[in-house]
Amino acid sequence: METRKFLVEGVMCSSCVQSLEKGLTKNKSIKSVAYNLANDRMLLTYDEKNISIEEIENEVSKLGYSAVLYTPDIKKDEKNIVEDKKSKKQRKFFYSLILSLPVVLISMISMFGIEIPIFNKENPFMYVSLQLILTTLVIYINVDTFNSGIKFLIKKSPNMDSLVVLGTLSAYFYSIYISYLSIYIDINHLHHLYFESVVVIITLINLGKYLEYIAKRKTSTSVQKLINLSPKEANLLVGEEEFLVDIEDLQIGDIILVKPGERIALDGDIIEGLSFVDESMLTGESIPVEKKIGDTVTGATINKSGYLKVKITKTGEDTTFSKIITLVENAQISKAKISRIADKISSIFVPVIISLAVLSSLFWYFIIGKDFSFSLTIAISILVIACPCALGLATPTAIMVGLGTAAEKGILIKNGDVLEEFSKINTIVFDKTGTLTKGEAEVYEIISKTYNENDLLKIAASFEKYSDHPLAKAITKKSSERNQKLIKLDNYNNIEGKGIEGTIRDEYYLIGSYNLFKEKDINTNEYEEQIKKIQQLGCSIVLISKENKIIGLIGVKDNLREESKNLIKLLKEKGIEVVLLTGDNKIVAKSIGEELGITEIISEVLPSEKSEVIDRLKRQNKKVVMVGDGINDSPALAASNIGISMGSASDVAIETADIVLLKNNLLEIINARIISEKTIKNIKVNLFWAFIYNIIGVPVAMGVWYYFGGELLNPMLAALAMSFSSISVILNSLRIKLINKKGLLYDK
């Protein structure tokens, strides 16, 4: 299966979204479809062996829309596409307004006792002719709206345009009929013309669509800010010559020159130069990092001081920065479970509204005995005031803003479901090493009763250099600092999660955990006092034996992150249960737990066993979040309801976790929770007002208020209300951005 993103045109409202998604999933080669009404993107998962991109685009076309694969070229030209759409909507509103004003003036100025020469009711032919011509021009300018509405009516899947078309064309053709009666039979029929209603409705809807489009674009500004961080050009070196080229023209293996103050174009390795690089856009760390020959640099980071020559290792969508952008964009297209209520209603919304318009009109005409003009007004008002757009925008706009706000904070949330689920979690399980601790373990003490300190360290480091465990790295680092020449091993064997064994000059050595030594029945009594003392200090113990006799131990300590204590305190205040899950022994785990204030501690667990712990917690009806480093903890991250990975967006972290904390700051977990809660609350408010608007607006348009002595709703006011209902939903979604300005989010 492959997942690709498409740019889709012609989707007007939630009814269109339902039509598109249901229509495409009828094809067995298409597994899933998610369309975001707020940014016109469709994320589609399909079997690439059975259906091609061209066939997918044709399938979309058959449903009445147009789709094109969202390629880097389209992405590059997106700013122009957005501006063209904006200009088109602006022109449609402006031209409609200019042509509508004379119609409104001619039809209503007599109410103020003013008569326009020639174009007045005393001259019915000129009076109706000018209105008819101008109204027809307004319809012509908006012919795409009418084509869309009629096309989907014929396809028996009416959308918002269909409601507008039914309402305005009914009024338009009825007015033409009234014009005939007024000119040739009775001038008094002029009071029943609807030309001004037609043009004003169309103009107000155009105004609404224009303002809605501007507001919708603001919901995606967070991603645009990220995209703008990427440089557009780079200094390509060919021999000794330097050329300024677009980064799209760079290839793997090219060498670029990065001058002080410039952003690094793409991911690569430094082959010449020494500098400090600002990686705050990735890690959140404001202090620049020293970079020298052989170090890796990431695209979009800033070279602060010296020059660098960088050999490109990744281009296009393979770069770290591109993957981050893609992750956020794809997440914004996804849906939350809460949107399913609106989806179900949207699928029947337009047909129900059309039915209500017809039945209400017939009721007033046949049952109550009102004239045809009155009954038509009822039908037009119902068709125009109903707003499926508000329902369709309620969820995606809030999710877009929520995920974008999180991305600005360096929190990558993979989809809307994760955003929703995170607001419900009640248990967080933390891995210790590299998560609650800094992941920079250091040798704390070396103890041996038979070897000197340096010799014991050399033996241990000779074995540990073959392991990538944090404790092993601490030992090899200490040995390197002392410029030790390591011993060549005859052979070695890694014992997963426990230690390493092998031989030197045919003598058997074992280096590993206390539990491993117990399993191997190696007597540790001689060092028990020292082991216990160091463990109580929060150190992890690495034991060393030769020919199954213990010869010493190394205590390694990984200090807690500065924010760990504060995080645990904040989580407990929110009523969230905190669990420490570690492979360390009980004494070390208890020491760390007491320092942090964690009482639920699960220790001496192998990496492969962590997922079993997560499953056990889930069977207790707990909503479980696992926080780990995204590599050793992959099974546990996958088993949890939500997996959170620390680190600066490594490929493994992005693939494994549901949430990636780019800034490597644990307090971002609290921020993710706050953003999640605010977004879901915002969605609920949006859905409430979208439902309430239609629940109140439609009955008023049906004449319920009039029946009990109120005023009859004017179709023009109905159009105004409909236009601003969608805008209000979008503006409410944008309020999520204020949570950072209000100081509700935490910093390091």
Side-chain angles (χ1 to χ4, degrees):
M1 289 290 176
E2 189 168 345
T3 300
R4 302 296 294 270
K5 186 162 50 181
F6 294 81
L7 186 65
V8 182
E9 296 288 343
V11 180
M12 304 300 300
C13 62
S14 55
S15 298
C16 295
V17 175
Q18 289 297 300
S19 173
L20 175 67
E21 293 180 346
K22 288 182 178 179
L24 288 176
T25 49
K26 287 179 182 178
N27 189 312
K28 294 180 180 179
S29 297
I30 297 175
K31 183 181 178 182
S32 65
V33 182
Y35 179 84
N36 190 324
L37 188 60
N39 65 1
D40 302 325
R41 306 282 189 280
M42 177 177 71
L43 200 64
L44 189 141
T45 302
Y46 64 98
D47 185 348
E48 70 276 14
K49 296 177 182 177
N50 295 325
I51 189 169
S52 66
I53 296 295
E54 185 179 355
E55 288 171 330
I56 290 171
E57 292 173 350
N58 288 336
E59 288 288 326
V60 174
S61 180
K62 289 176 185 177
L63 293 169
Y65 312 101
S66 62
V68 60
L69 186 66
Y70 193 71
T71 62
D73 288 338
I74 289 178
K75 190 172 185 177
K76 183 180 177 181
D77 197 44
E78 189 163 16
K79 187 174 181 180
N80 293 331
I81 294 172
V82 168
E83 287 301 318
D84 287 344
K85 285 185 178 180
K86 181 180 174 182
S87 297
K88 184 178 179 181
K89 292 179 183 295
Q90 191 177 40
R91 287 196 302 271
K92 282 178 67 176
F93 165 67
F94 179 74
Y95 294 148
S96 297
L97 177 64
I98 295 299
L99 293 170
S100 298
L101 288 175
V103 178
V104 174
L105 183 66
I106 292 169
S107 62
M108 293 187 173
I109 197 169
S110 60
M111 295 169 57
F112 302 98
I114 302 173
E115 295 290 338
I116 300 177
I118 304 175
F119 302 108
N120 56 49
K121 292 179 182 178
E122 298 301 322
N123 191 349
F125 179 81
M126 295 300 294
Y127 181 78
V128 300
S129 294
L130 182 59
Q131 291 189 64
L132 174 59
I133 293 169
L134 293 174
T135 303
T136 304
L137 287 173
V138 170
I139 291 174
Y140 176 75
I141 290 169
N142 294 274
V143 69
D144 55 342
T145 299
F146 285 84
N147 286 339
S148 169
I150 294 169
K151 178 174 64 177
F152 285 102
L153 273 174
I154 295 171
K155 286 178 174 287
K156 298 180 181 178
S157 56
N159 60 7
M160 186 191 76
D161 283 346
S162 301
L163 297 179
V164 174
V165 167
L166 284 173
T168 53
L169 286 186
S170 297
Y172 176 72
F173 287 116
Y174 178 69
S175 296
I176 292 176
Y177 172 66
I178 291 297
S179 298
Y180 168 78
L181 295 179
S182 301
I183 295 170
Y184 296 105
I185 298 177
D186 188 348
I187 196 173
N188 290 320
H189 285 291
L190 289 175
H191 297 292
H192 300 296
L193 287 176
Y194 279 93
F195 287 127
E196 81 283 357
S197 294
V198 173
V199 294
V200 171
I201 287 171
I202 294 173
T203 301
L204 289 174
I205 287 172
N206 279 331
L207 173 62
K209 285 183 177 181
Y210 172 62
L211 295 177
E212 178 187 313
Y213 186 75
I214 293 174
K216 279 165 64 175
R217 297 311 304 176
K218 288 183 179 179
T219 64
S220 59
T221 54
S222 298
V223 174
Q224 192 58 49
K225 286 179 182 177
L226 288 176
I227 293 172
N228 290 340
L229 292 176
S230 178
K232 305 297 183 288
E233 297 175 321
N235 302 307
L236 175 64
L237 291 177
V238 180
E240 296 298 320
E241 293 190 67
E242 178 185 327
F243 301 92
L244 186 64
V245 299
D246 291 339
I247 63 169
E248 287 84 2
D249 297 329
L250 292 174
Q251 298 178 356
I252 293 174
D254 284 345
I255 297 172
I256 60 171
L257 175 67
V258 187
K259 300 172 184 177
E262 292 183 342
R263 287 191 182 272
I264 298 168
L266 298 168
D267 296 3
D269 297 328
I270 297 174
I271 61 171
E272 186 179 318
L274 174 69
S275 184
F276 285 85
V277 175
D278 180 356
E279 297 182 331
S280 58
M281 53 75 61
L282 266 182
T283 65
E285 296 293 340
S286 58
I287 301 174
V289 180
E290 183 181 5
K291 296 288 183 178
K292 56 186 182 301
I293 294 174
D295 287 343
T296 297
V297 289
T298 304
T301 55
I302 303 172
N303 179 25
K304 298 295 287 186
S305 51
Y307 81 94
L308 293 174
K309 287 185 180 179
V310 178
K311 186 176 183 180
I312 302 300
T313 57
K314 293 180 181 178
T315 61
E317 296 183 356
D318 293 328
T319 64
T320 299
F321 189 69
S322 291
K323 286 182 178 179
I324 292 171
I325 298 297
T326 300
L327 189 150
V328 176
E329 288 180 332
N330 290 351
Q332 289 184 328
I333 300 173
S334 65
K335 292 187 175 183
K337 292 176 183 176
I338 195 172
S339 67
R340 291 173 186 169
I341 301 171
D343 288 346
K344 288 179 181 178
I345 293 175
S346 298
S347 63
I348 60 170
F349 184 88
V350 175
V352 167
I353 292 300
I354 293 172
S355 300
L356 287 175
V358 173
L359 292 173
S360 298
S361 180
L362 294 174
F363 170 81
W364 284 103
Y365 187 76
F366 289 107
I367 306 299
I368 303 300
K370 291 292 184 177
D371 59 25
F372 183 79
S373 178
F374 182 95
S375 301
L376 181 62
T377 300
I378 292 288
I380 295 170
S381 296
I382 294 171
L383 292 169
V384 171
I385 201 171
C387 189
C389 279
L391 287 172
L393 291 167
T395 301
T397 51
I399 287 178
M400 280 189 68
V401 179
L403 293 176
T405 301
E408 285 183 349
K409 291 293 293 179
I411 305 166
L412 300 186
I413 302 176
K414 280 197 171 179
N415 57 59
D417 271 349
V418 172
L419 193 68
E420 181 178 358
E421 285 297 307
F422 199 56
S423 66
K424 302 174 184 177
I425 59 100
N426 53 30
T427 304
I428 295 188
V429 179
F430 287 96
D431 170 54
K432 179 179 76 71
T433 306
T435 303
L436 291 172
T437 62
K438 292 180 179 179
E440 300 170 357
E442 296 179 351
V443 173
Y444 185 79
E445 193 161 358
I446 303 172
I447 299 173
S448 177
K449 296 180 180 180
T450 54
Y451 283 74
N452 69 48
E453 184 178 295
N454 281 328
D455 287 343
L456 186 70
L457 177 63
K458 183 188 291 187
I459 292 170
S462 297
F463 284 91
E464 296 288 21
K465 73 175 184 179
Y466 295 102
S467 172
D468 62 356
H469 192 280
L471 300 184
K473 290 179 178 179
I475 292 171
T476 53
K477 179 183 177 184
K478 191 70 173 178
S479 176
S480 176
E481 288 172 357
R482 296 185 180 185
N483 297 316
Q484 292 183 334
K485 185 177 180 181
L486 300 182
I487 306 166
K488 183 179 180 182
L489 307 183
D490 296 331
N491 58 68
Y492 69 92
N493 175 50
N494 186 56
I495 305 170
E496 184 188 359
K498 296 178 181 180
I500 193 168
E501 61 185 349
T503 60
I504 300 176
R505 291 184 290 274
D506 295 327
E507 292 181 307
Y508 174 74
Y509 287 85
L510 180 68
I511 295 91
S513 67
Y514 184 82
N515 286 342
L516 176 61
F517 272 57
K518 289 300 179 185
E519 286 179 18
K520 297 283 187 179
D521 291 324
I522 298 175
N523 193 320
T524 60
N525 291 339
E526 188 180 357
Y527 285 87
E528 284 295 337
E529 186 178 340
Q530 290 89 343
I531 291 171
K532 188 173 182 180
K533 182 180 178 181
I534 294 176
Q535 285 177 337
Q536 287 173 341
L537 295 173
C539 289
S540 299
I541 299 294
V542 177
L543 299 175
I544 302 101
S545 71
K546 177 181 178 181
E547 295 295 346
N548 293 325
K549 178 176 171 56
I550 188 167
I551 60 173
L553 63 88
I554 299 175
V556 180
K557 189 168 186 179
D558 189 1
N559 293 318
L560 293 173
R561 293 177 182 273
E562 297 171 5
E563 72 272 17
S564 291
K565 288 183 182 179
N566 191 24
L567 170 72
I568 304 305
K569 177 175 174 288
L570 291 169
L571 289 173
K572 286 186 173 182
E573 288 175 357
K574 284 183 169 289
I576 298 173
E577 180 184 353
V578 180
V579 179
L580 174 61
L581 183 62
T582 177
D584 264 329
N585 66 66
K586 293 179 181 178
I587 298 174
V588 176
K590 184 180 179 183
S591 173
I592 296 293
E594 287 177 350
E595 189 174 353
L596 289 171
I598 300 174
T599 55
E600 183 69 24
I601 301 168
I602 303 172
S603 58
E604 301 179 0
V605 180
L606 294 174
S608 59
E609 298 170 341
K610 289 182 179 181
S611 60
E612 296 174 13
V613 175
I614 299 298
D615 287 334
R616 187 171 71 243
L617 292 170
K618 287 169 68 177
R619 286 195 296 270
Q620 297 170 13
N621 294 321
K622 294 179 178 179
K623 292 278 188 181
V624 182
V625 169
M626 173 68 193
V627 186
D629 60 15
I631 303 173
N632 295 329
D633 298 312
S634 295
L637 290 169
S640 60
N641 294 102
I642 294 175
I644 299 180
S645 177
M646 302 297 293
S648 58
S650 67
D651 290 347
V652 175
I654 289 178
E655 290 298 324
T656 306
D658 299 301
I659 299 175
V660 181
L661 306 181
L662 291 181
K663 293 183 179 180
N664 223 26
N665 182 357
L666 284 173
L667 284 176
E668 300 301 349
I669 294 173
I670 296 293
N671 289 336
R673 172 77 174 203
I674 292 170
I675 292 170
S676 171
E677 290 172 338
K678 295 293 182 184
T679 301
I680 299 306
K681 182 180 179 180
N682 193 285
I683 289 173
K684 290 177 180 178
V685 171
N686 280 350
L687 288 172
F688 172 79
W689 284 114
F691 284 129
I692 288 297
Y693 165 81
N694 286 293
I695 288 170
I696 294 175
V698 172
V700 169
M702 289 169 64
V704 173
W705 189 21
Y706 177 83
Y707 185 83
F708 290 101
E711 294 292 327
L712 185 65
L713 181 65
N714 189 302
M716 291 183 282
L717 292 178
L720 185 64
M722 188 274 279
S723 296
F724 283 93
S725 63
S726 296
I727 297 168
S728 64
V729 165
I730 298 171
L731 293 178
N732 183 56
S733 296
L734 289 169
R735 289 194 308 113
I736 299 172
K737 287 178 172 286
L738 299 178
I739 60 176
N740 199 14
K741 293 181 181 178
K742 290 180 179 178
L744 296 178
L745 300 183
Y746 293 87
D747 289 306
K748 198 169 183 178

